[in-house]
């Protein structure tokens, strides 16, 4: 959806991802899910995914953004299609909150964070910033034109904003 300034506003639901240019703002709401945010300072392009689980037990015929490994693969395809290289991006990881407390013996948020970090490392990519784990949900807004990420964690009464700088070559 375009707003009056010509900015495309994208709301990611679980399993979605989006890669856009300097006219893009991407938003999402995370609980135990995780978002990887990738930003190229020089080109003012970037993307975000919102995955729900580390991987699926039985791979399908099409890649599915609900799973960490497949979501990262899809984002890497978008990066290569743009003519840029993944190592030139500032990468951040957000989410992975424990939404079920002691009701669930398995902390899926923790598993999602671990999967994201391991996948980045397996692709030779560095996570430059992360805000993950804990309890509750996070609101995340990423302005591709500036690399600015606003993060709100209502359960901790914490608001964090960060303007990302380009990775050093």
């Amino acid at each position: 959806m375009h707003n009056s300034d010509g900015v495309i506003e994208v709301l990611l639901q679980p399993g979605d991802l989006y890669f856009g240019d300097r006219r893009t703002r991407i938003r999402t709401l995370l609980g135990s899910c995780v978002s990887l945010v990738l930003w190229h300072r020089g080109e003012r392009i970037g993307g975000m995914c919102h995955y729900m689980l580390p991987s699926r037990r039985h791979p399908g015929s099409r890649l599915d953004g609900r799973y960490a490994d497949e979501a990262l693969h899809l984002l890497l395809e978008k990066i290569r299609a743009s003519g840029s290289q993944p190592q030139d991006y500032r990468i951040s990881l957000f989410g992975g909150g424990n939404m079920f407390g002691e009701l669930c013996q398995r902390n899926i948020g923790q598993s999602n964070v671990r999967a994201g970090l391991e996948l980045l490392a397996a692709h030779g990519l560095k996570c430059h910033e992360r805000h993950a784990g804990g309890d509750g949900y996070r609101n995340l807004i990423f302005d591709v034109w500036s690399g600015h990420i606003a993060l709100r964690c209502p359960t901790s009464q914490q608001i964090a904003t960060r303007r990302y700088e380009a990775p050093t070559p």
Side-chain angles (χ1 to χ4, degrees):
M1 172 171 88
H2 285 275
N3 69 19
S4 61
D5 296 330
V7 172
I8 298 168
E9 299 260 354
V10 178
L11 175 63
L12 294 186
Q13 300 295 330
D16 289 346
L17 63 94
Y18 192 86
F19 190 86
D21 63 15
R22 65 186 80 224
R23 296 179 306 271
T24 309
R25 170 177 282 154
I26 310 171
R27 303 170 178 263
T28 199
L29 176 65
L30 300 165
S32 58
C33 295
V34 166
S35 279
L36 295 173
V37 179
L38 297 91
W39 183 60
H40 191 293
R41 179 180 183 172
E43 298 296 324
R44 300 284 194 248
I45 56 177
M48 180 192 300
C49 67
H50 180 148
Y51 66 83
M52 301 166 60
L53 295 167
S55 63
R56 56 177 148 170
R57 292 184 181 156
H58 306 288
S61 59
R62 291 182 42 205
L63 293 174
D64 189 331
R66 293 179 293 176
Y67 305 99
D69 52 351
E70 297 178 42
L72 180 58
H73 184 83
L74 289 165
L75 277 173
L76 294 174
E77 283 181 355
K78 301 266 187 199
I79 287 171
R80 289 185 183 103
S82 77
S84 58
Q85 298 300 313
Q87 63 272 17
D88 295 333
Y89 284 73
R90 183 83 183 181
I91 303 173
S92 305
L93 182 145
F94 300 96
N98 183 0
M99 301 303 295
F100 306 106
E102 295 178 16
L103 296 174
C104 184
Q105 292 191 6
R106 182 174 170 225
N107 184 336
I108 191 63
Q110 192 174 50
S111 298
N112 281 335
V113 170
R114 184 174 38 255
L117 294 171
E118 288 173 358
L119 284 165
L120 290 173
H123 285 275
L125 302 171
K126 179 183 176 189
C127 180
H128 296 91
E129 185 87 3
R130 72 177 173 184
H131 191 281
D135 295 324
Y137 66 94
R138 293 166 172 84
N139 283 301
L140 184 62
I141 302 171
F142 171 41
D143 295 333
V144 177
W145 62 85
S146 66
H148 185 258
I149 295 175
L151 175 68
R152 183 160 187 246
C153 305
T155 56
S156 66
Q157 300 302 313
Q158 176 183 17
I159 297 175
T161 60
R162 169 96 52 207
R163 180 173 303 278
Y164 291 104
E165 301 298 326
T168 53

